């Protein structure tokens, strides 16, 4: 059954990369390079599934496996909640050598029962890791029995790490939501301006920077999938009028299936940067009006955009001269590979290159539009090469995730975290102001003058 699920996830007609491949190559995967089972560098399938589902904040998430599987993935992302906190508690069955010999099914059932009785969650997601998958625990049967006896949804997530990459885990998690959650409940009410936001995980609270804008337009987010999500909202997401996909590489399969099953059109948008935020708001309004929302939504959207852009530019103006022409090396992936380019260009910075490691063909086309076809685009940059670029002064600042921060620090180059570990939210007009403020603070921090001076013992040696 798992083999069939993986084959379905690989054969994704909504993926730009996959459409360009031959019939044979298409079955091997919809990433730019083939996915190899066991190739877990950068995150495994279990990690990807947990990233996609754990932001459902009123659910409990039990990891069926050795305790290290939970320890290595828990709390590594700053996906925030406006209410329930149960999703922040790490639950694991803590499998040992004896469970490998005798099986872990009874231990799993006891864990589910304890969590259900103690915390009363809206639902329980059970993640299958490599060990129970290899010893043959029937997790589906345990979950079905627990669901019947305990009277709440107990949902198996069959994405053990060895089956493939983190991105595959994202897709398998989306399939779990489609098969077991979406469409199982009805919303208390619906409106012509209901939308779903797919692939935003409310990292550092970015969803909360967007909701006030939508509220002022009378647009309701029926379900956020899955940032700051509630189980019932996702269960009733099939009644939305439009789906917006934030990260197509991870969740385009989910959006395409929603269109096929429930006739909900989708588009890919971004809330990074002033111009991209405005473009996305316009597209939401256009699609909603096409599906029956009041026609004045478009004019009200334009009025809101004009007002918010003016306010944002006024707040950014004091930083313009300090940042103009500063060179940025952008080493991230997915939608941020182009959407952050747009944001940096908005304030006059020069992007010397961007990463396309996890980008779709659509992402790459947008990079071409923003930077020109001759712009430097990187895949995986070896550590030595990255060190050479920064030590040689090719960039004034590195913007990336935490894995490359120490290369920047060794070369005494300012570094700003823009990946999931960050503590600052950069979405929408408010987020753009925050991003500019953080770039300025990072670039002009006095610590750089101190660390770039010769050490006292070196100058003393020179005098001798």
């Amino acid at each position: 059954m798992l083999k069939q699920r993986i084959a379905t996830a690989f054969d994704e007609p909504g993926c730009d990369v996959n459409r360009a491949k031959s019939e044979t190559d298409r079955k091997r995967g919809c990433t730019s390079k083939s996915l190899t089972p066991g190739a877990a560098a950068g995150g495994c399938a279990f990690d990807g599934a947990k990233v996609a589902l754990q932001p459902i904040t009123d659910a409990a998430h039990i990891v069926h496996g050795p305790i290290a599987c939970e320890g290595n993935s828990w709390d590594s992302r700053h996906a925030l909640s406006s209410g329930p906190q149960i999703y922040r508690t790490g639950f694991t069955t803590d499998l040992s050598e004896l469970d490998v010999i005798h099986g872990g099914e009874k231990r799993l059932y006891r864990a589910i029962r304890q969590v259900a009785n103690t915390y009363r969650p809206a639902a329980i997601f059970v993640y299958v890791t490599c060990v129970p998958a290899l010893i043959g625990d029937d997790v589906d049967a345990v979950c079905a029995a627990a669901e019947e006896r305990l009277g709440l949804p107990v949902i198996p997530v069959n994405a053990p790490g060895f089956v493939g990459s983190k991105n595959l885990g994202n897709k398998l998690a989306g399939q779990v939501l489609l098969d077991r959650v979406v469409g199982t409940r009805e919303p208390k009410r619906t409106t012509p301006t209901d939308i779903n936001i797919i692939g935003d995980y409310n990292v550092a609270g970015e969803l909360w920077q967007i909701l006030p804008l939508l509220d002022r337009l009378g647009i309701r987010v029926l379900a956020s999938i899955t940032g700051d999500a509630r189980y019932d909202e996702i269960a009733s997401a099939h009644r939305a009028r439009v789906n917006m996909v934030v990260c197509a590489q991870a969740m385009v399969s989910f959006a395409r299936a929603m269109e096929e099953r429930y006739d909900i059109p989708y588009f890919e948008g971004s809330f990074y940067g002033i111009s991209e935020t405005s473009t996305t708001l316009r597209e939401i309004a256009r699609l909603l009006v096409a599906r029956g929302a009041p026609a004045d939504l478009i004019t009200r959207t334009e009025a809101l955009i004009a007002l918010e852009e003016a306010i944002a530019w006024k707040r950014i103006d004091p930083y313009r001269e300090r940042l103009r022409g500063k060179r940025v090396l952008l080493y991230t992936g997915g939608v941020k590979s182009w959407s952050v380019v747009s944001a940096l260009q908005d304030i006059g910075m020069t992007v010397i290159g961007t990463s396309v490691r996890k980008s779709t063909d659509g992402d790459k086309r947008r990079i071409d539009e923003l930077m020109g076809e001759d712009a430097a685009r990187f895949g995986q940059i070896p550590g030595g090469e990255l060190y050479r670029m920064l030590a040689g002064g090719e960039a004034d600042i590195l913007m990336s995730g935490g894995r490359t921060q120490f290369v920047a620090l060794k070369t005494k180059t300012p570094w700003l975290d823009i990946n999931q570990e960050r503590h600052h939210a950069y979405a929408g007009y408010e987020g753009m102001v925050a991003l500019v403020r953080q770039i300025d603070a990072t670039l002009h921090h006095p610590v750089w003058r101190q660390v770039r001076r010769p050490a006292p013992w070196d100058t003393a040696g020179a005098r001798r």
Side-chain angles (χ1 to χ4, degrees):
M1 183 178 293
L2 178 59
K3 188 175 181 180
Q4 184 179 357
R5 279 180 173 274
I6 293 172
T8 302
F10 279 174
D11 189 12
E12 177 46 64
C15 173
D16 287 344
V17 175
N18 226 22
R19 279 200 293 264
K21 291 181 176 179
S22 67
E23 186 67 25
T24 302
D25 290 340
R26 191 174 301 144
K27 295 177 181 176
R28 295 174 182 165
C30 62
T31 59
S32 55
K33 59 182 179 181
S34 297
L35 299 174
T36 305
C44 64
F46 157 67
D47 185 31
K50 201 148 184 282
V51 163
L53 298 176
Q54 183 141 357
I56 303 174
T57 59
D58 57 353
H61 302 264
I62 298 177
V63 175
H64 185 38
I67 195 168
C69 290
E70 171 64 331
N72 289 337
S73 61
W74 180 77
D75 210 26
S76 64
R77 297 168 65 89
H78 292 159
L80 303 183
S81 169
S82 59
Q85 296 294 319
I86 187 172
Y87 78 118
R88 304 290 287 184
T89 302
F91 300 109
T92 174
T93 49
D94 185 19
L95 293 180
S96 67
E97 293 93 334
L98 286 177
D99 299 307
V100 172
I101 297 169
H102 299 293
E105 294 173 0
K106 291 182 179 177
R107 180 184 282 264
L108 174 60
Y109 180 78
R110 289 196 296 269
I112 295 171
R113 184 179 59 192
Q114 181 180 359
V115 169
N117 292 337
T118 304
Y119 296 94
R120 305 290 182 185
I124 297 176
F125 289 90
V126 176
Y127 299 83
V128 181
T129 61
C130 295
V131 169
L134 290 171
I135 64 177
D137 278 1
D138 192 344
V139 175
D140 285 12
V142 174
C143 290
E147 182 170 295
E148 182 179 353
R149 294 176 190 176
L150 300 172
L152 82 167
V154 182
I155 301 164
V157 182
N158 201 358
F162 63 77
V163 300
S165 68
K166 182 178 178 179
N167 181 250
L168 175 61
N170 296 152
K171 295 178 187 299
L172 293 174
Q175 195 63 42
V176 166
L177 293 180
L178 285 167
D179 293 345
R180 296 294 304 269
V181 183
V182 175
T184 59
R185 297 181 185 179
E186 291 296 329
K188 292 179 181 176
R189 65 182 179 90
T190 59
T191 77
T193 54
D194 286 348
I195 67 169
N196 296 322
I197 295 180
I198 299 171
D200 181 285
Y201 304 119
N202 197 32
V203 173
E206 289 186 339
L207 180 67
W208 301 334
Q209 293 176 316
I210 302 306
L211 293 180
L213 296 172
L214 299 175
D215 283 345
R216 287 162 63 184
L217 295 171
I219 297 171
R220 184 175 68 153
V221 177
L222 187 61
S224 169
I225 303 172
T226 54
D228 194 16
R230 307 294 184 271
Y231 183 83
D232 279 357
E233 294 171 353
I234 297 177
S236 59
H238 60 296
R239 296 303 181 193
R241 310 292 290 178
V242 170
N243 279 336
M244 174 194 167
V245 184
V246 174
C247 185
Q249 182 78 342
M251 295 298 268
V252 69
S253 306
F254 182 88
R256 192 262 309 159
M258 289 278 284
E259 186 172 47
E260 289 180 358
R261 294 187 187 186
Y262 305 111
D263 195 27
I264 304 174
Y266 71 90
F267 76 102
E268 185 183 359
S270 167
F271 287 113
Y272 289 117
I274 290 176
S275 56
E276 288 299 329
T277 298
S278 299
T279 299
T280 298
L281 290 176
R282 288 190 180 101
E283 185 65 7
I284 291 173
R286 185 188 69 79
L287 287 172
L288 283 173
V289 169
R291 300 216 69 204
D296 72 337
L297 178 60
I298 292 177
T299 55
R300 289 191 291 110
T301 301
E302 290 298 335
L304 178 73
I305 288 171
L307 176 64
E308 290 297 323
E309 284 194 354
I311 293 172
W313 285 124
K314 186 175 181 180
R315 296 174 65 190
I316 288 172
D317 269 347
Y319 300 98
R320 279 180 180 276
E321 288 305 314
R322 292 164 61 86
L323 300 180
R324 190 185 307 280
K326 295 292 184 183
R327 298 161 299 162
V328 182
L329 175 57
L330 186 60
Y331 192 42
T332 178
V335 66
K336 289 196 291 294
S337 62
W338 59 268
S339 56
V340 176
V341 171
S342 171
L344 298 174
Q345 290 179 337
D346 280 348
I347 55 176
M349 300 186 76
T350 301
V351 181
I352 66 167
T354 186
S355 168
V356 292
R357 287 175 296 167
K358 302 173 185 174
S359 301
T360 65
D361 280 356
D363 294 330
K364 294 172 184 174
R365 280 197 299 273
R366 289 184 173 94
I367 290 171
D368 290 342
E369 292 169 5
L370 292 166
M371 301 175 61
E373 294 184 1
D374 296 331
R377 301 191 297 183
F378 305 104
Q380 189 78 29
I381 304 178
E385 176 63 12
L386 183 60
Y387 181 90
R388 184 198 64 77
M389 295 173 68
L390 298 177
E394 294 183 23
D396 296 307
I397 185 172
L398 172 67
M399 296 175 62
S400 67
R403 291 173 185 159
T404 51
Q405 66 174 306
F406 298 107
V407 180
L409 297 179
K410 279 185 176 180
T411 60
K412 303 172 185 176
T413 302
W415 169 78
L416 184 63
D417 190 354
I418 57 169
N419 276 4
Q420 67 267 13
E421 305 92 351
R422 66 187 180 275
H423 292 268
H424 299 279
Y426 299 136
Y429 304 111
E430 183 66 34
M432 185 64 192
V433 175
L435 176 62
V436 171
R437 187 185 304 125
Q438 287 302 317
I439 292 174
D440 181 71
T442 303
L443 266 171
H444 297 106
H445 197 287
V447 71
W448 303 117
R449 289 197 299 273
Q450 298 293 329
V451 299
R452 288 168 179 167
R453 288 177 179 170
W457 50 87
D458 289 339
T459 55
R463 283 197 294 272
R464 285 196 298 270

